[in-house]
Amino acid sequence: MNTQENINYNRIAEAIDYIKANFKDQPNLDEVAEKVHLSPFHFQRLFSDWAGTSPKKFLQYTSLEHAKKLLKENQATISETAYETGLSGTSRLHDLFVNIEGMTPAEYKNGGKNLEINFSFAESPFGNIIVASTNKGVCFMAFAEDEEIGFLDLKNKFPNATFSRKLDLAQQNALFIFQNDWSKLSEIKLHLKGTDFQLKVWETLLKIPMGQLSTYGTIAHQIEKPNASRAVGTAIGSNPVAFLIPCHRVIQSSGVFGGYMWGNTRKTAIIGWEGVQVNP
């Protein structure tokens, strides 16, 4: 690392420490930039290059993590949480949760309370799978070689929901996708929770035809966020419904298949299998 890179790194590290120590004061861009002796414009660009997100977003993520801890571990009220996070009111806390978590603070706190979820396990060409559904549609599907771990993953998504091990029509329709062609996809109802950005990315994934691949950069352009490749990768990594939402069809622009939540070998196998289905 040359001298200038060292200086830049130290400035960004100092800015991150400052935001973490002072997030309850909700410092604005000018204040943080002044602390590291840069103009707001230069600081914004430098921080985004090094941290992969803007200073404002970093402050929001830091505030959100603190608020989540207060709601879950301390059982604080919505008003107490807003105050202790340094937000001017509950409406700002509400906006913070909806924009980043895709749910309200109350929904986060109750963890899926009053939600009834059926789940079952099945075999697929790529290993055992857990599939779960509400009365609105499939809410979770994941490869799970160990049933106990698979159920824990589901429960972590909806910690206060009521679970029944039961195969229902929504799950059956989802599992049929391994036998039928993807033109049947529209018959499968999904019950997804996510931010507007995540939902837009997942919707775009559904448009990638079977047997074809896309890249993180292409997805970013398609959702009209050409500089958001990294955020697209994060949204893809949060996909709650394996295979049906085909995040396995997204690879790096270099042609490298890249990572996959359920294992790179499985991703390679699925891509190969789909290629054979389209071009036998």
Side-chain angles (χ1 to χ4, degrees), residues 43-105:
F43 170 64
Q44 168 95 359
R45 192 172 59 181
L46 190 66
F47 190 97
S48 299
D49 287 345
W50 278 80
T53 188
S54 68
K56 181 180 179 181
K57 276 288 182 191
F58 184 79
L59 173 62
Q60 289 176 334
Y61 291 139
T62 304
S63 303
L64 180 71
E65 288 308 308
H66 182 71
K68 287 163 71 174
K69 185 178 178 184
L70 291 173
L71 288 170
K72 273 286 173 65
E73 297 180 14
N74 299 3
Q75 289 297 302
T77 66
I78 304 298
S79 298
E80 289 169 344
T81 302
Y83 177 77
E84 291 295 332
T85 309
L87 302 173
S88 57
T90 55
S91 61
R92 285 197 60 197
L93 183 70
H94 178 276
D95 291 345
L96 185 69
F97 267 83
V98 169
N99 290 333
I100 299 180
E101 283 292 312
M103 63 180 76
T104 67

Side-chain angles (χ1 to χ4, degrees), residues 1 6 17 24 26 39 41 43 45 55 68-69 71 78 107 115-117 145 153 160 164 171 175 205 258 269-270:
M1 196 180 288
N6 267 323
D17 287 343
K24 291 183 181 179
Q26 298 290 302
S39 71
F41 175 78
F43 170 64
R45 192 172 59 181
K68 287 163 71 174
K69 185 178 178 184
L71 288 170
I78 304 298
E107 287 173 334
L115 195 62
E116 294 184 2
I117 295 178
E145 297 304 325
D153 288 342
N160 293 326
S164 300
Q171 296 168 35
L175 294 170
L205 297 181
I270 296 174

